[in-house]
Amino acid sequence: FNGIRNGSVSFGMSQQKYLQGMLPVIFATTFVTTGKVPAVPSRNPNGIYLSNGTPWTSSRLPTPAERQQCIEDSFPVCPTVGQNGCPCFDRSSIRIGGVVHGDTADSFWDNFFAGAAVSAKDMGIVLDMQRFEPSANAAAVAAKMNAELARMCTGGNPVDALFVSIPNAGVVDAVAQCRDAGIPIIVVNSGASQAEDLDLQHFIGQLEFTAGFQAAEELLKAGMVRGFCLNHSPGVQALTQRCEGFRAAFATTPGAQFVAEVNVNPSNVNAYISTVETAVGAAGTWSGNGFLL
């Protein structure tokens, strides 16, 4: 928002990470305590709750005062029965598990984990979720996630409900085992198609191909002739799908060229800059180049 407001960024596509962290805790807790699920979104009857919308531009930005008011208007939730006369459940023994691929080196996930923590506090439940240290590759990420899923879904102390991201096919079997054990599951951030295939409760996030396509459309309208998609999480299907959508939009504009999908390391600024400059060519003007970050 600040970049759009000061003119350094033309527009933004936000999938609202904080909301992605909050909603699965609320949905899971509601299901455990009432057996009910939220109404199916009218625009997405297959159970997808889109956390993003149309591109953010300077004309659509909320003011700082409006953003603060949204926070202050958040609904209050009383944590236990009998306090202040609140007719609500005692949820202190409910344990909700969270297993996602975001690691400690990726600041993208900071707001997600913050939203989940705040939501757990508001709902008065126990949130069982850890943030992994960086892994060498996608297979290592899947191994860590599978171990956590096994801990939460098998043995004598399973979680009451679970939310999980599905970054690649290596996690699908473990998620299916949790489902077969009777654990209610919500998929977040990555894995919309797998959530539907596995017949899980919901998916909360953005449709990555669509988001990439819409981003390219906006950049092409602004004069982009050469496009680059920067992938900060190689091996995560969401980023691959986003870049595929970005690439597909170039077919609508003769003369514009999709140049490359560039794998970057978001935890090393100097390496990030060097990788992009090498891919683009550091010399000369960058006029007409467009980047999906």
Side-chain angles (χ1 to χ4, degrees):
F1 284 170
N2 292 336
I4 296 172
R5 184 169 285 111
N6 66 31
S8 62
V9 176
S10 299
F11 71 95
M13 301 288 294
S14 174
Q15 57 178 305
Q16 301 191 87
K17 290 100 64 180
Y18 194 88
L19 185 66
Q20 286 185 15
M22 287 192 69
L23 284 182
V25 176
I26 296 170
F27 285 8
T29 303
T30 300
F31 183 79
V32 171
T33 54
T34 69
K36 299 182 183 298
V37 297
V40 175
S42 59
R43 288 185 357 184
N44 298 287
N46 55 350
I48 294 176
Y49 289 79
L50 292 178
S51 62
N52 70 332
T54 54
W56 289 99
T57 61
S58 58
S59 63
R60 295 189 62 240
L61 284 186
T63 66
E66 288 171 335
R67 292 168 64 185
Q68 182 61 39
Q69 191 62 49
C70 286
I71 295 174
E72 293 175 356
D73 285 344
S74 297
F75 63 90
V77 180
C78 51
T80 57
V81 175
Q83 290 187 357
N84 302 319
C86 291
C88 59
F89 291 95
D90 180 357
R91 294 181 286 262
S92 59
S93 63
I94 294 174
R95 179 166 148 253
I96 304 298
V99 182
V100 296
H101 62 276
D103 61 43
T104 57
D106 190 349
S107 61
F108 171 92
W109 288 90
D110 292 350
N111 284 336
F112 180 97
F113 278 82
V118 167
S119 191
K121 180 179 179 181
D122 286 346
M123 299 301 287
I125 58 95
V126 176
L127 177 61
D128 187 347
M129 180 171 64
Q130 65 167 304
R131 191 167 180 179
F132 300 127
E133 292 298 318
S135 301
N137 50 50
V141 174
K144 290 180 180 179
M145 295 183 69
N146 290 341
E148 272 294 272
L149 289 168
R151 178 181 69 82
M152 292 182 180
C153 301
T154 61
N157 187 31
V159 294
D160 296 295
L162 173 71
F163 61 92
V164 60
S165 65
I166 304 180
N168 57 59
V171 184
V172 172
D173 287 347
V175 174
Q177 289 173 4
C178 289
R179 177 205 60 190
D180 294 343
I183 307 295
I185 302 172
I186 298 169
V187 179
V188 296
N189 183 263
S190 179
S193 60
Q194 286 92 342
E196 187 173 7
D197 292 342
L198 293 169
D199 195 26
L200 302 179
Q201 300 289 87
H202 302 296
F203 172 77
I204 300 170
Q206 69 178 9
L207 298 179
E208 298 294 346
F209 186 95
T210 301
F213 192 96
Q214 290 178 336
E217 284 185 317
E218 292 294 321
L219 286 169
L220 289 165
K221 290 176 186 176
M224 174 177 64
V225 294
R226 301 173 74 240
F228 299 82
C229 184
L230 308 188
N231 188 336
H232 62 266
S233 294
V236 175
Q237 63 176 346
L239 276 296
T240 301
Q241 293 166 354
R242 191 181 307 167
C243 286
E244 288 173 350
F246 188 77
R247 179 200 297 263
F250 282 81
T252 65
T253 305
Q257 175 191 10
F258 176 80
V259 179
E261 177 179 334
V262 182
N263 294 337
V264 293
N265 181 358
S267 63
N268 187 322
V269 174
N270 291 331
Y272 189 116
I273 293 171
S274 176
T275 299
V276 175
E277 288 182 340
T278 299
V280 177
T285 177
W286 282 28
S287 177
N289 290 335
F291 302 88
L292 178 60
L293 308 181

